[in-house]
Amino acid sequence: MVVSAKTDPEAFGELYQRNVDRIYSYIYYRVGNITDAEDLTARTFYQALGGIGRYHDQGAPFVAWLYRIAHNLVANHHRAKGRWQLASLDEIEPASKPSDNPSRVAESGERRQALWSAIHRQPEERQRLLILKFADRMSNEEIGEILGRTESSIKSLYFRTLKALRADLEARGW
Amino acid sequence: MFDRSTLSWRNLPVPLVGAARRYVPLNRPETPVAGAILPLMPFLSLARDLAALLVPVRPRADFRTGLQRNLMAAAQQQAARDRLFDAIPAVSSAQENRRWIWGAATVGSAVSLAGIAAYVWLQRHRQAA
């Protein structure tokens, strides 16, 4: 598929269809707003189209290459903005239903905001791990291919991340 | 895409759950080793909260289709450009070098001939004077 996508626009369209949702989801949680997520998603695929002729299969799946492009664009985006901007949780679809008890919804909103802030206080690699695991529903093996680590190292990084998150939240009275 | 109702500590993608389940018979919570799972519960709860917060998001449908349309157009242009470059016979660097040598030799010869002609003209002019 990737080999034919170098010369066949239809094959590239198929690659786009397969991967656009997960790439968008990843970028969305890294930048925190729809406008930037759409802009960076488009740039990721244009860059992939421009560079696919030079792409060489080195054992990792094609999507790992797309994530690398997306990651670099997100990093440049944050550098250009000069600082890390914490996304507003208002833009993230709440998990609660409209019929839920309002006080419980408010409490749940505070917990979500606290957790969101705690995630953003983690080192970048841990944030990427959490987004890939939860928002993109990837296995440890797939995450390892994207982050350039072994599956067992991803498992231990994940456990360390949970411990660090919990310690951070407890220190803030969660 | 993801059924949140299936999310329980039994099927969370937490490696430590798998480890704990190997040692704790789930149908016998009164077993003394069941205590081993208690320290893990906060992490399971945290993982559940993370799963509820970081839900997969999908791009807007019009953005998705619009980007695909634009990408396909760009891919077709790129493919057409590549075909065009493939059709033009490539000029090897040896051929290119030979052209430069011939060009330089021609210019050098022309300058030499002009110098000789100028010398002859000057000599005749002096003799006439």
Side-chain angles (χ1 to χ4, degrees):
Chain A
M1 173 67 78
V2 179
V3 173
S4 55
K6 291 184 179 188
T7 52
D8 179 10
E10 295 295 328
F12 188 82
E14 180 64 31
L15 284 177
Y16 167 80
Q17 288 272 19
R18 283 186 192 179
N19 296 302
V20 63
D21 288 350
R22 51 169 64 180
I23 293 293
Y24 174 84
S25 194
Y26 171 79
I27 294 176
Y28 175 76
Y29 280 108
R30 294 297 313 281
V31 297
N33 68 79
I34 294 170
T35 311
D36 289 338
E38 288 182 348
D39 177 39
L40 293 175
T41 303
R43 284 163 62 185
T44 299
F45 281 96
Y46 275 111
Q47 215 171 93
L49 175 64
I52 197 164
R54 296 184 299 276
Y55 171 80
H56 295 294
D57 185 1
Q58 294 174 326
F62 177 72
V63 71
W65 185 64
L66 286 179
Y67 274 107
R68 198 157 60 240
I69 296 174
H71 168 69
N72 290 337
L73 286 172
V74 168
N76 289 343
H77 170 82
H78 287 308
R79 253 197 303 275
K81 291 220 165 183
R83 65 190 170 91
W84 177 267
Q85 287 192 321
L86 182 59
S88 162
L89 251 191
D90 297 339
E91 294 184 29
I92 298 173
E93 190 183 328
S96 57
K97 298 185 287 294
S99 57
D100 287 348
N101 180 334
S103 64
R104 187 169 288 181
V105 170
E107 187 191 338
S108 155
E110 283 171 19
R111 281 176 69 87
R112 284 157 51 79
Q113 183 64 60
L115 182 55
W116 182 243
S117 303
I119 291 170
H120 283 83
R121 283 191 294 271
Q122 294 298 310
E124 193 192 9
E125 192 178 38
R126 291 181 179 181
Q127 292 180 32
R128 292 177 71 195
L129 165 66
L130 293 175
I131 293 169
L132 292 170
K133 181 175 271 298
F134 291 102
D136 287 359
R137 306 292 180 209
M138 287 191 155
S139 67
N140 288 332
E141 187 185 358
E142 290 171 315
I143 296 170
E145 283 167 340
I146 289 163
L147 297 186
R149 282 167 167 262
T150 62
E151 187 181 355
S152 58
S153 128
I154 292 297
K155 282 181 187 172
S156 83
L157 179 65
Y158 175 53
F159 186 56
R160 286 202 306 276
T161 304
L162 286 184
K163 274 176 77 172
L165 264 181
R166 185 159 170 73
D168 182 314
L169 289 164
E170 279 181 348
R172 286 172 165 78
W174 204 42
Chain B
M1 183 180 283
F2 177 73
D3 182 7
R4 202 176 293 151
S5 64
T6 62
L7 195 65
S8 78
W9 72 273
R10 295 185 187 204
N11 55 14
L12 268 174
V14 187
L16 49 86
V17 176
R21 289 183 69 186
R22 278 196 291 279
Y23 296 104
V24 182
L26 293 175
N27 56 346
R28 295 178 59 199
E30 72 282 6
T31 311
V33 286
I37 203 166
L38 288 178
L40 305 181
M41 292 310 286
F43 295 112
L44 302 178
S45 161
L46 179 58
R48 241 194 321 263
D49 287 338
L50 283 166
L53 180 69
L54 300 174
V55 291
V57 286
R58 291 172 68 89
R60 292 181 300 114
D62 56 339
F63 164 75
R64 200 177 192 280
T65 51
L67 178 57
Q68 179 166 17
R69 200 171 41 245
N70 295 340
L71 276 169
M72 295 297 283
Q76 272 154 7
Q77 278 183 356
Q78 186 169 296
R81 200 174 50 236
D82 291 347
R83 277 196 298 275
L84 184 67
F85 282 127
D86 288 346
I88 298 171
V91 178
S92 72
S93 60
Q95 277 178 315
E96 188 77 5
N97 287 344
R98 231 180 349 258
R99 282 181 192 172
W100 275 105
I101 290 166
W102 276 108
T106 307
V107 171
S109 304
V111 169
S112 303
L113 286 171
I116 292 167
Y119 176 77
V120 169
W121 180 81
L122 199 63
Q123 289 299 320
R124 284 187 183 170
H125 192 69
R126 277 183 186 162
Q127 281 174 2

